[in-house]
């Protein structure tokens, strides 16, 4: 079957993921160390739960106010949250070059980032036909449930999909389902890999 859709991971593929930038900004805003912010978010399981949809943007804002003393507005928090992502223009050019195939972001992330992305990183969000975030589906990669929901949303069978991710476990899981999965290492290597996957 010829590909109909290409799924791209966000952090580590379309964007460089710089979590320490977010943690440093959050710590500074709250008057705590970045290490303390990291323990509160990751050590407590908050991030994992939010990635599975256990918290709206407003709820995430409330929790950060109560647990970290975050003093800013939700709008400012959205800017801070997106600071962890630095777009890779070379990959974005490859996304553009994939037309007329449909493209989608398939990422493990929360409602706060999903709501913020169109305003804070429009050069990323505007390039995709769909923003498929784990928080919408209640499951994270490499879960079969997430891939199944993503394929259903895009109206594609596994054999009609290409998936690009930087994590070997996610690539392996996609391949087990019959998806043509590419492990991302660099934009320079992704271009030829996409050409092969698309039969070009």
């Amino acid at each position: 079957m010829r590909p109909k859709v290409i799924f791209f991971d966000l952090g580590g593929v379309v964007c460089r993921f710089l979590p320490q930038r977010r943690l440093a900004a959050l710590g500074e805003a709250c008057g705590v160390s970045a290490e303390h912010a990291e323990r509160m978010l990751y050590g407590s399981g908050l991030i994992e739960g939010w990635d599975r949809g256990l918290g709206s943007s407003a709820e995430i804002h409330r929790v950060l106010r109560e647990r970290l003393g975050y003093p800013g507005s939700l709008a400012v928090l959205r800017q801070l949250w997106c600071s962890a992502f630095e777009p890779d223009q070379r990959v974005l050019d490859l996304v553009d070059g994939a037309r007329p195939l449909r493209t989608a972001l398939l990422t493990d992330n929360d409602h706060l980032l999903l709501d913020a992305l169109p305003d804070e990183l429009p050069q990323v969000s505007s390039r995709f036909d769909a923003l498929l975030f784990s928080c919408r589906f209640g499951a994270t990669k490499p879960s079969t449930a997430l891939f199944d929901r993503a394929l259903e949303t895009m109206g594609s069978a596994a054999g009609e999909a290409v998936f690009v991710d930087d994590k070997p476990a996610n690539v392996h899981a996609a391949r087990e389902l019959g998806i043509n999965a590419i492990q991302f290492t660099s934009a320079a290597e992704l271009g030829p890999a996409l050409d092969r996957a698309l039969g070009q």
Side-chain angles (χ1 to χ4, degrees):
M1 287 184 282
R2 292 184 60 82
K4 288 184 177 179
V5 61
I6 308 179
F7 298 101
F8 290 87
D9 182 34
L10 177 60
V13 177
V14 172
C15 293
R16 288 173 283 273
F17 182 47
L18 307 169
Q20 292 305 317
R21 181 184 291 176
R22 175 195 288 172
L23 292 167
L26 184 60
E28 181 177 359
C30 299
V32 301
S33 67
E35 292 75 19
H36 178 76
E38 183 173 21
R39 287 193 300 272
M40 178 60 67
L41 292 177
Y42 290 91
S44 66
L46 281 173
I47 290 290
E48 181 181 354
W50 291 340
D51 284 351
R52 295 199 315 273
L54 303 180
S56 64
S57 289
E59 175 69 8
I60 293 170
H61 184 220
R62 182 190 65 77
V63 169
L64 292 177
R65 288 202 318 267
E66 293 178 355
R67 299 197 186 185
L68 275 179
Y70 176 73
S73 66
L74 177 55
V76 174
L77 181 60
R78 286 175 174 171
Q79 296 173 1
L80 185 158
W81 220 242
C82 287
S83 69
F85 295 90
E86 188 175 275
D88 187 331
Q89 185 59 50
R90 297 168 301 172
V91 177
L92 291 175
D93 289 342
L94 292 173
V95 175
D96 291 340
R99 300 296 182 187
L101 293 184
R102 300 185 73 202
T103 59
L105 275 181
L106 183 57
T107 178
D108 290 344
N109 267 294
D110 52 61
H111 283 289
L112 181 58
L113 187 72
L114 175 58
D115 292 344
L117 205 68
D119 291 327
E120 302 302 329
L121 291 171
Q123 71 272 43
V124 173
S125 63
S126 64
R127 281 181 156 88
F128 294 92
D129 296 302
L131 305 179
L132 307 183
F133 277 50
S134 59
C135 62
R136 293 178 56 195
F137 300 137
T140 56
K141 294 177 282 188
S143 138
T144 298
L146 180 68
F147 288 111
D148 286 344
R149 291 289 305 279
L151 290 167
E152 179 184 2
T153 300
M154 299 304 291
S156 171
E160 298 170 325
V162 177
F163 170 63
V164 183
D165 198 285
D166 60 317
K167 293 183 173 58
N170 297 339
V171 170
H172 176 75
R175 287 174 178 167
E176 287 290 301
L177 294 173
I179 298 170
N180 186 354
I182 300 169
Q183 184 174 346
F184 179 83
T185 54
S186 69
E189 294 188 5
L190 179 58
L194 282 175
D195 286 344
R196 290 191 294 271
L198 302 179
Q200 297 176 350

